[in-house]
Amino acid sequence: MAAGLLLRVVGLCFWLVLSFRGSSVAVSATAVAPAPAPGTGCDAVMVDARAAVAETDEAFVCATLDWWPPEKCDYGTCAWGLAGLLNLDLSSKILLNAVKAFSPIKLRLGGSLQDFLVYGTGSTGEPCLPFTKNTSAMFGFTQGCLPMHRWDELNAFFHKSGAQIIFGLNALNGRVPMPDGSLGGPWDYTNADSFIRYTVEKGYDMYGWELGNELGGTGVGARIDADQYSADVITLNQIVDKAYQGSKPQVIAPGSFFDAAWFTEFVGKTKPNQVDVITHHIYNLGPGVDTHLIDKILDPSYLDGEASTFSSLQGILKSAGTSAVAWVGEAGGAYNSGHHLVTDAFVFSFWFLDQLGMSAKYDTKSYCRQTLVGGNYGLLNTTTFEPNPDYYSALLWHRLMGTKVLSTTFNGTNKIRAYTHCARDSEGITLLLINLSGNSTNHIYVTSEGAHEDMHPYSSKEHRSFRRIPKLSEAAKLTREEYHLTPKDGNLQSQHMLLNGNVLATDANGGIPKLEPVQVEGTQPITVGPYSIVFAHIPSFYATACR
């Protein structure tokens, strides 16, 4: 096809593939698209292949485990069962296989009760007793204790599963009430120090130590001002330095809801290297009892609202001159244990994957989902450990989306959310497409920018914009892998996810199913059905950023 003809049909949909071979660059249209079906539209995703806009950790996906006892109830529903860390059945084959499937996944141990947890190392001189229900206490429970034999059992499981562990320490020991309503006084680290030393002596591998849970900014239940918190984190850094010889775990804080002024002060007083990771929490959908959760999840304007938090924190870190990086330390979407058949159902993958894609664009290094198991927002069922839909969404992200994030724009409806990363452990790119509409099927072509015109041996001044057009027989050899996710029976509140039309479920031995793609000819658009999610791995897209 002559370039002149292509200029006349440039308004049509076609898929552009970047091919980078050594010192040459070729941008080629695999084919002029066949006419789309009536009423389905003709849309394109533009991927900037020139440079990554951000980069995540290799183990970007993270999940939490919490301390809640079975008596934890919200709105008359007790959704935690035996999922708390003191009660969790560590012998479950499904649980072990679910964690191992990531190889690795970060697990953050913490939550509201971590600031009321002491460690049974003998340093307190008190008996090691579990949490007890007490409606007059903050969060409804008395102080609890982690016996060291349970810590040993947990670490045996973590070692076997290959998980990377972040432990949230109690930051309230030693505090006194202040006139402004906050808690002041220096952190009493005696018990925490003995626990860290016990962990080191046992040889337990820790990815990080985090101080406190939701005590920054206005706090949740209690708050500590940024000046005091900064001093306490510097103390934790010194404790970790002293306890570890050579390579040491990350020092992480504050595990709080984002408050720009508080975070700015905290980052400024711990720079350049007193803290490794700045964590914030996200429950932007409101309380789990909200009857409009699904409406919010399907509203692109509502989803966009969280971008300002990611952008603001990224700006604070850049301007402060700190080595610290940003994580989402806990995110369950809807607080107070979520909402059954929403936050543990297919529809929640729209929110969850959009959060992963959006946060990664703003240089978030890791994203911890509340929870791995527990409440109504677990990746796994609280009693059977059978994966909920979001588990498979997280696993596909982990296996397909590499660390480098590419700028991506979509020219059609705002009901399509689009994110692109360099492919993980493979050539090309992986594109994530989320269709929030239940009425439209979109046929989407991938276009690109970023070719170096002066490097292409076939380029001329007249026709540099389009380069060489391959023959159809050549184009047909270009294939991609697609993973289409839909709810069983078309029910958004289903707890069963279909991959390319097949129900995902563990086998008789608790094994996680294989996640197999369908092969699609490169001449075809990516078809995104109503209320569906598509991961498309395009190995023939050779981006400069992905070298």
Side-chain angles (χ1 to χ4, degrees), residues 139-478:
F139 304 123
F141 291 90
T142 63
Q143 176 180 282
C145 178
L146 170 62
M148 289 303 93
H149 68 82
R150 181 59 177 177
W151 185 230
D152 297 338
E153 293 168 356
L154 286 165
N155 276 279
F157 174 83
F158 299 146
H159 177 75
K160 188 184 298 184
S161 66
Q164 298 174 335
I165 304 303
I166 298 97
F167 192 96
L169 294 164
N170 180 342
L172 288 185
N173 279 339
R175 307 298 185 184
V176 295
M178 304 297 286
D180 64 357
S182 68
L183 294 177
W187 174 46
D188 181 351
Y189 56 81
T190 308
N191 187 224
D193 183 37
S194 68
F195 178 56
I196 291 172
R197 285 190 283 106
Y198 177 91
T199 301
V200 172
E201 290 166 4
K202 284 285 191 173
Y204 297 150
D205 190 21
M206 299 295 293
Y207 189 91
W209 294 99
E210 185 176 31
L211 183 63
N213 183 80
E214 298 176 356
L215 300 172
T218 57
V220 177
R223 62 186 175 89
I224 301 171
D225 69 49
D227 183 65
Q228 182 60 61
Y229 217 124
S230 302
D232 299 330
V233 168
I234 291 170
T235 297
L236 174 59
N237 191 40
Q238 293 168 346
I239 291 170
V240 173
D241 268 338
K242 186 175 180 180
Y244 289 85
Q245 300 298 319
S247 180
K248 67 170 188 174
Q250 305 270 286
V251 172
I252 302 171
S256 300
F257 290 101
F258 182 72
D259 178 297
W262 194 98
F263 272 68
T264 299
E265 183 179 355
F266 175 74
V267 170
K269 290 183 175 178
T270 55
K271 70 176 186 182
N273 54 11
Q274 292 294 324
V275 61
D276 300 300
V277 179
I278 304 295
T279 48
H280 66 106
H281 293 182
I282 297 175
Y283 288 89
N284 62 326
L285 297 175
V289 74
D290 189 339
T291 57
H292 300 287
L293 292 176
I294 292 178
D295 295 333
K296 292 178 179 178
I297 292 167
L298 298 178
D299 181 351
S301 297
Y302 195 94
L303 296 179
D304 287 339
E306 197 61 30
S308 61
T309 294
F310 297 125
S311 177
S312 295
L313 181 53
Q314 181 186 41
I316 289 170
L317 295 177
K318 280 185 175 180
S319 62
T322 179
S323 61
V325 299
W327 286 14
V328 173
E330 180 183 317
Y335 58 82
N336 289 344
S337 302
H339 189 115
H340 182 45
L341 298 184
V342 177
T343 55
D344 54 3
F346 178 86
V347 69
F348 208 50
S349 279
F350 293 140
W351 177 85
F352 182 38
L353 286 172
D354 190 66
Q355 279 278 299
L356 294 182
M358 184 187 298
S359 63
K361 283 199 312 182
Y362 291 99
D363 220 28
T364 301
K365 301 302 183 184
S366 197
Y367 190 107
C368 300
R369 166 62 179 267
Q370 173 85 346
T371 59
L372 175 66
V373 56
N376 286 317
Y377 34 37
L379 297 178
L380 307 176
N381 182 279
T382 300
T383 54
T384 67
F385 300 114
E386 186 70 28
N388 286 323
D390 279 3
Y391 173 84
Y392 295 113
S393 296
L395 187 56
L396 279 170
W397 176 288
H398 178 76
R399 292 181 177 178
L400 297 173
M401 305 290 271
T403 60
K404 293 183 178 180
V405 186
L406 304 181
S407 176
T408 306
T409 54
F410 179 65
N411 75 339
T413 169
N414 65 354
K415 289 285 188 176
I416 294 288
R417 317 285 285 184
Y419 301 98
T420 309
H421 286 219
C422 296
R424 184 182 180 95
D425 301 327
S426 180
E427 292 185 327
I429 63 169
T430 301
L431 172 65
L432 168 62
L433 296 166
I434 302 168
N435 189 357
L436 301 176
S437 170
N439 300 315
S440 65
T441 296
N442 295 78
H443 300 283
I444 298 174
Y445 292 81
V446 182
T447 68
S448 58
E449 57 181 314
H452 302 292
E453 295 179 351
D454 59 341
M455 296 174 63
H456 186 250
Y458 300 104
S459 64
S460 65
K461 291 182 179 179
E462 299 92 335
H463 300 137
R464 280 180 179 174
S465 297
F466 297 100
R467 315 296 192 274
R468 176 179 64 86
I469 310 302
K471 298 176 182 178
L472 285 178
S473 59
E474 177 185 357
K477 296 176 184 178
L478 301 175

Side-chain angles (χ1 to χ4, degrees), residues 86-107:
L86 296 177
N87 303 296
L88 188 64
D89 179 9
L90 302 176
S91 67
S92 167
K93 289 183 179 180
I94 299 179
L95 178 62
L96 177 62
N97 291 334
V99 176
K100 287 177 68 175
F102 280 84
S103 301
I105 186 173
K106 294 188 183 87
L107 293 180

